[in-house]
Amino acid sequence: MRSKSMARTLVTATVICAVGAAGLVTAGTAAAAPSGKQQAAASESVAPLAVVNLGLTSAEAQKVQRWLRTYFNYTGAIDGQLGTESWKAMQRFLRQQAGYTDAIDGIVGPNTIRALQYWLRQANGYTGAIDGIAGAGTQAAFKRFANGLG
């Protein structure tokens, strides 16, 4: 009887040690390898900002980029993708011509769109609201501007 009791105690102790060891192994790998959420957050923080062509084709966006390079210190690629650097140059233009007072950050937010709409109303036949929403009318006027660049 004593040997059965001792065997149970030994089996119980072995199981407890094994469970504990597994916990330590798991804890070590969890500390060493970031979780999927951590990896996703890290990759999001270095992802480039979205391209915002506002309805322009690549060829039309290239015209805008060439114009921005000539007049507003755009130094990026002429690739037809209006990204952060293109919009920073556009914001410099809008600051000069349309009363844009927000940050020169390349983010196409409502204030950038409002200034663009204001300028498009003055120069490119935009008749819609100055509401910061790049709807069909804003995009059509922006397209007229781009195609007028030659």
Side-chain angles (χ1 to χ4, degrees):
M1 210 165 165
R2 202 164 179 227
S3 68
K4 282 185 180 181
S5 171
M6 188 111 140
R8 272 190 213 142
T9 304
L10 187 56
V11 169
T12 303
T14 304
V15 169
I16 290 171
C17 287
V19 169
L24 289 174
V25 169
T26 304
T29 58
S35 71
K37 289 180 183 177
Q38 290 170 328
Q39 289 173 339
S43 65
E44 286 173 15
S45 65
V46 296
L49 293 176
V51 171
V52 183
N53 277 14
L54 292 183
L56 299 185
T57 65
S58 290
E60 291 164 337
Q62 286 174 336
K63 291 176 187 181
V64 171
Q65 287 174 320
R66 281 192 286 276
W67 177 78
L68 291 169
R69 176 174 281 167
T70 300
Y71 299 107
F72 294 97
N73 199 32
Y74 172 65
T75 58
I78 306 296
D79 59 3
Q81 303 294 306
L82 299 180
T84 304
E85 294 306 312
S86 297
W87 281 103
K88 282 181 182 179
M90 181 61 78
Q91 288 168 334
R92 286 190 289 275
F93 161 71
L94 293 170
R95 178 168 282 168
Q96 191 176 88
Q97 298 295 319
Y100 177 75
T101 59
D102 218 346
I104 304 295
D105 58 8
I107 297 171
V108 187
N111 290 337
T112 300
I113 298 300
R114 276 188 206 94
L116 180 63
Q117 289 169 328
Y118 174 81
W119 181 76
L120 289 170
R121 178 175 282 173
Q122 307 305 313
N124 287 282
Y126 176 67
T127 59
I130 308 293
D131 59 5
I133 300 169
T138 303
Q139 291 181 27
F142 194 49
K143 190 176 273 288
R144 280 192 298 277
F145 161 67
N147 286 320
L149 294 173

